[in-house]
Amino acid sequence: LPIINLQLMALPGTSWKGIEFNNENLQVKFSSCSFANSGITGNLNKLEILPSCTFTNSLIDLYEATIAINNTTFYNTNILLNNYLQKPVNATISHSSFQNSTSNILISITHYPDYLLDDNVIFYENGTGINLEYSGTSTSQHIVQNCTIQKTGSNQELSWGIRIYHSFADIQNN
């Protein structure tokens, strides 16, 4: 299902989540779309976010979905990917920029057997830039490479650029 030039915006301070999917067979491609104070949540088979999309004060919160994000800009937006049923899905986030998330985790990938984070610029204020839990396998792709990861906040609290817990990860040229 291609979605092109969508402008999805909620008023600042509202609690509207945006689009929620509940169809494990659905495949969606967003191109040249803009999300503000809203986001994408739920369960679907595959989500592709193609170049020229922007997310501002938003959230991507998906479970058991293959996700491919390329050349997308995120401001104060988090990506939370959960695959608790351990389906054969993968996550690819490449050539994208993340700025100034105030939440505790900017990108969280949990129970994904296969993932690639490549050539991203990640600036976060506190907590963790990239969080990997129970992800990767000895025979899958499990790579974080060519990323710039920087904490921009001034607080002295404990912080991780990349946090890896019970996961396989090849960390290269970051």
Side-chain angles (χ1 to χ4, degrees), residues 7 11 28 37 45 48 82 89 104 140 145 159:
Q7 303 273 326
L11 295 174
V28 178
N37 304 308
N45 180 274
E48 290 183 70
N82 298 300
V89 296
N104 201 31
S140 69
Q145 67 184 9
S159 176

Side-chain angles (χ1 to χ4, degrees), residues 115-131:
Y115 64 87
L116 171 65
L117 300 164
D118 181 36
D119 197 26
N120 297 297
V121 176
I122 300 168
F123 294 116
Y124 65 101
E125 288 189 25
N126 60 50
T128 303
I130 299 170
N131 188 65

Side-chain angles (χ1 to χ4, degrees), residues 56-161:
T56 304
N57 301 321
S58 298
L59 171 69
I60 296 175
D61 186 1
L62 299 174
Y63 53 96
E64 298 151 8
T66 288
I67 186 163
I69 298 173
N70 184 28
N71 199 17
T72 299
T73 303
F74 298 91
Y75 300 101
N76 294 324
T77 298
N78 306 75
I79 297 177
L80 308 174
L81 305 175
N82 298 300
N83 182 31
Y84 293 115
L85 296 179
Q86 299 181 21
K87 292 184 177 180
V89 296
N90 63 70
T92 301
I93 303 172
S94 61
H95 310 288
S96 295
S97 65
F98 298 82
Q99 304 243 346
N100 295 332
S101 174
T102 57
S103 78
N104 201 31
I105 297 173
L106 186 60
I107 300 170
S108 180
I109 299 174
T110 305
H111 285 285
Y112 269 69
D114 189 321
Y115 64 87
L116 171 65
L117 300 164
D118 181 36
D119 197 26
N120 297 297
V121 176
I122 300 168
F123 294 116
Y124 65 101
E125 288 189 25
N126 60 50
T128 303
I130 299 170
N131 188 65
L132 303 169
E133 293 186 7
Y134 305 101
S135 291
T137 67
S138 62
T139 59
S140 69
Q141 174 176 261
H142 43 265
I143 299 172
V144 179
Q145 67 184 9
N146 304 317
C147 295
T148 300
I149 304 167
Q150 181 177 343
K151 178 183 175 188
T152 59
S154 60
N155 67 29
Q156 298 299 313
E157 294 177 8
L158 190 58
S159 176
W160 297 272

